[in-house]
Amino acid sequence: MTKAAEVIGLIMGARMKLSALRFGTRGCLALLTILTFGVASADAATIVARGASNTYGKGVERDQAYPAQLEAILRAKGSNAQVVNAGINGDTTEGMLGRLDQAVPDGTRVVILHPGGNDRRQGRPDRTADIQSRLAARHIRVIILANSMLRGLPHQPDGQHLTPEGYRMLAAALAPRVLAAVGR
């Protein structure tokens, strides 16, 4: 082997070792990240809030709607919960049923279902029982948020949708039921 070939071999070997070291470091960091976040999310409870405008939080900021405020309350009580806001303004139970599998991912522990009043207003059939049945088949607990829970809470001038304080009060009223449903 010539001197030049020997030098080139040494350089290539050094580069390969350096690449392996860099990959090893990056690989270890990636594995550590996956393990850290995987363990943290493994005990997280996913809760999906399904409903129409009062779930969505019509007229308020997203962090003022009851699902966001409920998540903050649950976390303050030590629960590693994620509350997903799957509310859509003007939705009906028929629409909720049609999008149920998209809105409620596998691994969801609890669904808070607020059928609202759009079915009646739009002359549509109430599909609440069908939603409950589908979720029960997936072993997902359902908490029905009845319209009566909104009575006496602060409303916006339209008289139909809650204020940020009304959503906070609603979230506080739901928190014990949700904690019981997730087993905490």
Side-chain angles (χ1 to χ4, degrees):
M1 187 182 319
T2 67
K3 196 70 164 161
E6 197 173 308
V7 170
I8 290 173
L10 288 172
I11 291 171
M12 293 300 288
R15 281 188 177 170
M16 287 174 55
K17 287 179 184 175
L18 185 58
S19 291
L21 180 63
R22 272 190 258 160
F23 175 76
T25 303
R26 280 185 283 189
C28 286
L29 287 174
L31 182 60
L32 183 60
T33 301
I34 289 168
L35 290 174
T36 300
F37 289 110
V39 169
S41 63
D43 66 343
T46 299
I47 300 147
V48 176
R50 287 294 281 143
S53 54
N54 267 312
T55 299
Y56 174 78
K58 185 173 182 178
V60 302
E61 299 295 322
R62 294 293 61 78
D63 65 344
Q64 297 173 325
Y66 93 77
Q69 295 200 51
L70 176 61
E71 181 175 303
I73 290 168
L74 296 175
R75 288 182 180 238
K77 292 181 180 288
S79 175
N80 185 15
Q82 176 190 17
V83 181
V84 178
N85 187 338
I88 298 174
N89 286 328
D91 210 356
T92 62
T93 55
E94 199 166 46
M96 291 177 214
L97 180 62
R99 291 183 302 282
L100 194 62
D101 293 332
Q102 293 169 312
V104 181
D106 289 340
T108 298
R109 304 245 307 263
V110 177
V111 168
I112 303 167
L113 179 61
H114 182 212
N118 291 331
D119 289 340
R120 184 178 31 79
R121 278 190 287 281
Q122 296 177 26
R124 310 293 295 198
D126 182 351
R127 303 293 300 272
T128 301
D130 296 324
I131 295 170
Q132 289 177 291
S133 177
R134 288 251 312 265
L135 292 171
R138 293 176 57 193
H139 307 287
I140 298 171
R141 293 184 176 151
V142 179
I143 296 173
I144 296 291
L145 194 169
N147 283 335
S148 60
M149 286 190 73
L150 306 181
R151 287 192 199 116
L153 300 178
H155 281 71
Q156 296 175 38
D158 68 5
Q160 200 168 19
H161 301 99
L162 299 179
T163 64
E165 177 62 13
Y167 286 124
R168 187 199 61 73
M169 293 167 72
L170 178 60
L174 283 169
R177 291 174 63 191
V178 172
L179 286 170
V182 297
R184 300 210 181 214

